[in-house]
Amino acid sequence: MRDPSEEDAGVHVGGDAYGGVKLAGGRPRKPRRSARARRRNAIVAGLLSVGVLVGTGVVWATPRQIGAVDAGVAEPPPRGAENILLVGVDKRDDLTRKKQNELKLGREAGQRTDTMMVIHLSEDHSKVTVVSLPRDSWTTIPGKGDHKINSAYQFGGPKLALQTVRQATGLEIHRYIEVNVLGFVDVVDSLGGVTVCTPVAINDPKTGLNLAAGTHELKGVQALGYARTRATARSDLDRIDRQQQVISALLDRALSAGTLANPAKLASFVNTTLGTVKVDPDDGLLGLAAQLRDVKLDNVQFVDVPLSDVDYKTPTGESAVLWDKPAAREMFRRIKADENLAEPSATPSAKPSAKPAVPPERVSLKVLNGTLITGLGARTRTALLAYGFRVPDTAGNTARKDFKKTLVRYGAGQEEAARTVAAAIPGAELRKDDVKGIEVVTGKDQLQVAKPKAAPTATATPKAETATQTICKK
């Protein structure tokens, strides 16, 4: 990366990061990099932007050189599978109050990790698995006792963050990448924005985000709010889903012909992204770039840590999440063994539990009270939320009040999701109807929502989606 103080020779990217170009005289241009080299750099920058998504802030200065940090990583193998800990650090000390207010950041000083992800590069270097570690995960931090996992960085910086993740996952970490999340807005804008889709409306005054349900094209500041907000039913777990969606959208833009074929846009994206990064080992990112040269969107897979309690009350009175330790242990064992998590385990010890085609956390629905029984709709909504469904609106009422049976009504294209809902309300009648989405109409039978099933057994296939599947379909 050139010194920002040098006079430009050749292409100059304007400060708006949208590809404004001017030609300067003086020194001759360097030969253009090959298409393969440009693609490799874009892939690296795209994957690094994973960490940029997850917190808050914006870079208001010129890109900086990649920095070095001592995180105590293990010696990386010369060839073979590799585990990377990617940490997004929320640092806002150097922002003015005006800028913090503009971006709805709050005024806390200091550094904390808003996101931690383990990225596994397969042995043949063709596949990437990204595991998001919920920031509120209640775990043991070496030498500090039990705390939320995002406290590790505050207590002991990169080394303690890495030790905590290594202890929790059982994985050796070969590379540490720290991204200052204050670069997020510039990264998104350098690509011309990202496309996202939300199944529910989001109105969050804290982040300044107000979106109707549906598909949206977001610029940097809006995308920042979308990646930060917790103003939906599942709070931080929904936020992880949104972050994975934005990661996929950024990768899609980064690897698109429009970026790779546009030298100004590509330079802006790579410089903006890499300028907010610190790494260990301090060999730059050339080694990683070489290993990622064959990765495609279909081969970038996202998985979630299995959870046993999403509303755990800690001894200190905080709200946290607990991992399902047996299932999580098995998932990380499979990652260590370089298995594809989208497929059944190669060494099952028990029959996997059946899974619905559409998991509850992906289903958004409405609850209507079809009776004169006061509070029946509200109780049903609460139980469905506990089961894991998205029920963004309070329970309503049907025009008629004589429904004898509880119904699950669904519109066109919603049959599989509706089956998941009906399975959660044993005895409910499944009916295709002229409605938008999915509606649960409570009847006089007062059917009970089943208790949430335990997380899949340790041999079950965890939820896994590729970056291609996560991208919004326009």
Side-chain angles (χ1 to χ4, degrees):
M1 193 177 297
R2 68 173 175 80
D3 187 338
S5 65
E6 290 180 1
E7 183 180 355
D8 292 332
V11 177
H12 173 73
V13 182
D16 61 1
Y18 279 89
V21 176
K22 70 179 181 181
L23 298 180
R27 287 166 289 188
R29 296 183 184 178
K30 295 181 180 179
R32 289 184 62 186
R33 294 178 179 172
S34 68
R36 186 170 186 175
R38 294 198 306 273
R39 179 177 181 274
R40 182 184 305 165
N41 284 344
I43 291 173
V44 174
L47 286 173
L48 290 179
S49 65
V50 170
V52 180
L53 307 170
V54 292
T56 61
V58 61
V59 152
W60 296 88
T62 56
R64 298 176 294 277
Q65 297 285 349
I66 296 175
V69 63
D70 181 10
V73 298
E75 184 71 24
R79 182 74 180 175
E82 184 174 334
N83 298 314
I84 303 163
L85 174 60
L86 193 149
V87 170
V89 179
D90 172 9
K91 184 178 185 297
R92 59 188 81 172
D93 302 28
D94 52 356
L95 292 181
T96 66
R97 179 170 296 185
K98 179 180 178 182
K99 291 168 184 173
Q100 292 188 34
N101 289 339
E102 180 183 349
L103 295 169
K104 308 286 186 181
L105 297 181
R107 296 171 185 172
E108 299 94 336
Q111 294 191 27
R112 61 198 61 78
T113 55
D114 251 18
T115 295
M116 303 175 85
M117 297 182 179
V118 174
I119 302 173
H120 175 77
L121 180 62
S122 67
E123 185 173 5
D124 63 4
H125 299 174
S126 67
K127 298 180 180 65
V128 173
T129 301
V130 181
V131 184
S132 297
L133 309 182
R135 54 176 278 171
D136 291 340
S137 299
W138 192 249
T139 191
T140 300
I141 297 177
K144 301 294 181 179
D146 291 343
H147 296 274
K148 292 182 180 181
I149 199 167
N150 70 335
S151 299
Y153 191 98
Q154 277 183 291
F155 287 139
K159 282 190 175 181
L160 189 56
L162 186 144
Q163 291 171 14
T164 302
V165 171
R166 182 168 54 201
Q167 177 175 281
T169 64
L171 296 175
E172 197 60 78
I173 303 298
H174 305 106
R175 187 179 294 272
Y176 174 90
I177 301 176
E178 179 181 307
V179 181
N180 184 346
V181 296
L182 304 183
F184 175 70
V185 172
D186 279 353
V187 169
V188 174
D189 284 341
S190 72
L191 289 173
V194 292
T195 302
V196 303
C197 46
T198 173
V200 297
I202 302 175
N203 186 2
D204 183 6
K206 290 183 178 180
T207 62
L209 185 71
N210 191 346
L211 295 178
T215 301
H216 303 271
E217 186 77 13
L218 303 183
K219 296 301 182 184
V221 173
Q222 277 187 304
L224 173 65
Y226 187 76
R228 286 180 59 213
T229 183
R230 295 186 178 196
T232 50
R234 295 170 64 244
S235 188
D236 194 49
L237 301 182
D238 282 343
R239 192 174 84 145
I240 286 175
D241 287 344
R242 284 190 293 272
Q243 289 171 3
Q244 292 175 352
Q245 185 186 125
V246 179
I247 291 166
S248 301
L250 281 174
L251 283 170
D252 188 42
R253 288 284 175 94
L255 300 179
S256 69
T259 299
L260 294 175
N262 185 328
K265 182 176 284 189
L266 181 61
S268 174
F269 173 53
V270 172
N271 289 339
T272 299
T273 304
L274 300 187
T276 62
V277 174
K278 293 182 180 180
V279 299
D280 183 15
D282 60 355
D283 58 355
L285 293 168
L286 296 180
L288 181 59
Q291 295 182 59
L292 294 174
R293 64 180 180 271
D294 297 322
V295 173
K296 299 177 181 178
L297 275 183
D298 286 338
N299 293 334
V300 178
Q301 183 182 82
F302 297 101
V303 294
D304 296 336
V305 176
L307 303 176
S308 63
D309 191 343
V310 297
D311 192 22
Y312 173 69
K313 297 303 179 187
T314 72
T316 57
E318 302 171 86
S319 181
V321 299
L322 290 181
W323 293 8
D324 181 321
K325 291 186 178 180
R329 189 182 308 117
E330 175 63 10
M331 183 186 76
F332 288 116
R333 182 202 66 78
R334 294 187 61 190
I335 290 175
K336 189 174 183 178
D338 210 28
E339 294 183 19
N340 184 348
L341 297 184
E343 299 175 355
S345 174
T347 56
S349 58
K351 185 177 180 180
S353 58
K355 294 195 307 175
V358 182
E361 59 268 21
R362 298 287 184 187
V363 180
S364 182
L365 54 90
K366 212 181 266 190
V367 176
L368 300 172
N369 190 347
T371 74
L372 292 172
I373 303 171
T374 303
L376 180 58
R379 291 196 300 273
T380 302
R381 176 180 181 269
T382 298
L384 288 168
L385 284 171
Y387 196 95
F389 292 102
R390 297 178 177 181
V391 194
D393 299 323
T394 57
N397 297 289
T398 56
R400 42 179 277 233
K401 306 294 183 183
D402 59 349
F403 282 83
K404 293 182 179 179
K405 291 187 59 107
T406 298
L407 303 179
V408 177
R409 305 191 298 202
Y410 64 94
Q414 297 289 325
E415 183 174 359
E416 290 299 329
R419 289 186 185 278
T420 300
V421 179
I425 312 174
E429 179 181 332
L430 190 63
R431 180 186 298 177
K432 186 174 182 179
D433 211 332
D434 185 21
V435 297
K436 185 177 180 180
I438 300 172
E439 295 178 349
V440 172
V441 180
T442 60
K444 294 179 181 178
D445 53 1
Q446 300 188 53
L447 295 181
Q448 299 293 309
V449 177
K451 290 184 178 181
K453 293 182 179 180
T457 60
T459 56
T461 304
K463 188 194 79 164
E465 292 183 321
T466 67
T468 302
Q469 293 170 323
T470 309
I471 293 172
C472 289
K473 304 299 187 292
K474 293 186 178 180

